[in-house]
Amino acid sequence: MTTHFRATIVAVASGFALTASVSALAEDSVAILPGKMTLTGPAARQAILVERQRDGKNVGSLPIGDAPDAAKLASSRPEIVEIVDGVTVPKGNGTATITAQFGNQTATAEVTVADQEKPWEWSFRNHVESVFTKIGCNSGACHGAALGKKGFRLTLRGYDPDSDYASITR
């Protein structure tokens, strides 16, 4: 075997050894998604995900709860925000930190709660239009058809809530 060929084999083998040692040093961590959130109004809610990360990339979600293989969530100020089944629930105006713990790894997220004193308000777009879509009223087989049904027409799948609101209230 020539000296040049042996040097190439050693260099390639060294490269593989270097790659293997770098991947062995891969850093595992956890992260809370979203990392920062604002809950506005008494009905606001935000589901939380706890993600495993390797080298800064998400590699899978962790279950949340009391099981040994689950991430545990805690609020720094339960009078501001509490966590119920992985969902943030506002309790009072202010700022709190949510901490996720999985084994010896932790992650935090900041939560701002505002306008808790304001009364809850209905939204046609969020609370009425969604019901039409769920039960099929604005589908092509019903009032979302090109000519509607029995003289009443809604936009297909609720793409124009303002027009639907006008149709219902006029």
Side-chain angles (χ1 to χ4, degrees):
M1 207 184 299
T2 67
T3 307
H4 177 67
F5 185 66
R6 266 188 232 141
T8 304
I9 290 175
V10 170
V12 170
S14 297
F16 286 131
L18 180 61
T19 303
S21 65
V22 168
S23 63
L25 297 175
E27 187 78 23
D28 284 351
S29 61
V30 293
I32 297 177
L33 298 178
K36 188 174 185 177
M37 60 197 98
T38 300
L39 304 174
T40 305
R45 302 289 187 270
Q46 176 65 56
I48 296 175
L49 289 177
V50 178
E51 292 282 323
R52 272 191 150 147
Q53 293 187 329
R54 180 166 290 128
D55 294 328
K57 295 179 183 172
N58 293 341
V59 293
S61 295
L62 291 168
I64 296 172
D66 294 326
D69 64 339
K72 294 173 184 37
L73 295 173
S75 172
S76 66
R77 299 181 64 196
E79 71 277 8
I80 301 294
V81 66
E82 69 178 17
I83 301 144
V84 178
D85 297 327
V87 176
T88 58
V89 179
K91 295 297 178 185
N93 293 330
T95 303
T97 301
I98 304 296
T99 303
Q101 183 166 358
F102 180 70
N104 61 354
Q105 301 169 338
T106 61
T108 60
E110 184 181 317
V111 181
T112 302
V113 178
D115 295 337
Q116 289 300 293
E117 67 284 349
K118 288 187 177 178
W120 185 75
E121 294 181 11
W122 281 95
S123 161
F124 181 80
R125 177 184 303 248
N126 295 332
H127 303 111
V128 177
E129 197 77 48
S130 61
V131 174
F132 290 156
T133 301
K134 183 175 182 176
I135 60 176
C137 296
N138 57 13
S139 70
C142 199
H143 298 291
L147 298 174
K149 195 175 219 181
K150 296 188 179 183
F152 181 64
R153 183 178 182 283
L154 295 170
T155 59
L156 186 62
R157 303 278 184 229
Y159 76 87
D160 185 5
D162 295 334
S163 175
D164 290 344
Y165 181 81
S167 294
I168 291 170
T169 60
R170 304 282 179 297

